[in-house]
Amino acid sequence: LREQTLVLVKPDAVQRRLVGDVIGRFERRGFKLVAMKLLQVPELQEGRGYVCGYPCIIAPRCHQADRGLLDRHYQHLQQKPFYPALLAYMTSGPLVAMVWEGYNVVRSTRAMVGDTDSAQAAAGTIRGDLSMHVSRNVVHASDSVETALREIGFWFQRDELVAWESGD
Ligand code: CMP
């Protein structure tokens, strides 16, 4: 079984240096990391990107968490009153997108992430341990196998997923 899910480590968590904590939890649980990247926010890239100092250009790939990508990812929330605030939050800094693979990974990951509303999230979950408020809830994880397929397609190109043998 090769079930996969999309996990986003949101800008608040990157800023708080929590990326390693989040990754460590999924690794220790036994899931396999098959894709990962740090995405820049185009508005922040302007004038102060590391890119400027190197002889390279931004590759024509999905390395930016831009408005279009977030609109697709959060399509179902666009009519919500909190959507403008959600967009501002999600573009407030770089974020990390990852694909994790494993047995029942979608369901297990949701359980590890905890309730969307951090105040309701159980201790021991990512949100229950690391977050106080729904509008700064540290991570996103796909809510079903179908959603995961769609969301992985928004954030990654096919050749960015790495197939490797983990011995299990
Ligand atoms: P996520 O799992 O990424 O899915 C939708 C996101 O919308 C959710 O996490 C929160 O970040 C955000 N969200 C949901 N409800 C609210 C709310 N009432 N106020 C602000 N943000 C919300």
Side-chain angles (χ1 to χ4, degrees):
L1 187 85
R2 291 188 2 103
E3 190 173 305
Q4 296 177 334
T5 197
L6 177 83
V7 173
L8 301 177
V9 185
K10 298 182 178 183
D12 56 328
V14 175
Q15 196 163 23
R16 292 170 60 201
R17 306 339 188 221
L18 296 175
V19 177
D21 187 322
V22 172
I23 290 174
R25 290 168 187 249
F26 296 126
E27 284 195 329
R28 289 196 299 277
R29 186 75 185 263
F31 295 123
K32 180 161 75 167
L33 183 62
V34 296
M36 178 165 74
K37 60 185 171 184
L38 180 68
L39 289 102
Q40 180 59 283
V41 181
E43 291 79 1
L44 300 178
Q45 181 79 46
E46 194 77 20
R48 56 169 143 140
Y50 289 108
V51 174
C52 304
Y54 292 91
C56 63
I57 52 165
I58 297 171
R61 285 179 173 278
C62 173
H63 286 167
Q64 298 194 334
D66 62 18
R67 174 78 199 255
L69 175 56
L70 291 166
D71 280 345
R72 279 196 295 283
H73 178 81
Y74 283 132
Q75 220 158 17
H76 57 297
L77 298 179
Q78 283 184 29
Q79 303 312 318
K80 299 277 188 192
F82 61 79
Y83 190 66
L86 176 59
L87 259 187
Y89 163 45
M90 293 297 290
T91 56
S92 63
L95 57 80
V96 175
M98 311 183 284
V99 178
W100 290 91
E101 183 177 296
Y103 181 69
N104 275 336
V105 70
V106 172
R107 195 145 54 95
S108 298
T109 299
R110 291 288 289 189
M112 291 168 74
V113 163
D115 198 291
T116 302
D117 180 358
S118 303
Q120 304 287 334
T125 64
I126 292 172
R127 288 170 178 157
D129 289 348
L130 305 175
S131 161
M132 292 191 297
H133 199 273
V134 65
S135 64
R136 292 285 180 276
N137 64 0
V138 174
V139 286
H140 166 86
S142 308
D143 63 9
S144 72
V145 174
E146 296 71 40
T147 309
L149 271 176
R150 207 171 54 246
E151 290 182 349
I152 291 168
F154 292 155
W155 291 85
F156 289 94
Q157 307 219 351
R158 205 174 277 273
D159 67 359
E160 291 178 299
L161 271 65
V162 177
W164 58 285
E165 266 319 312
S166 56
D168 51 31

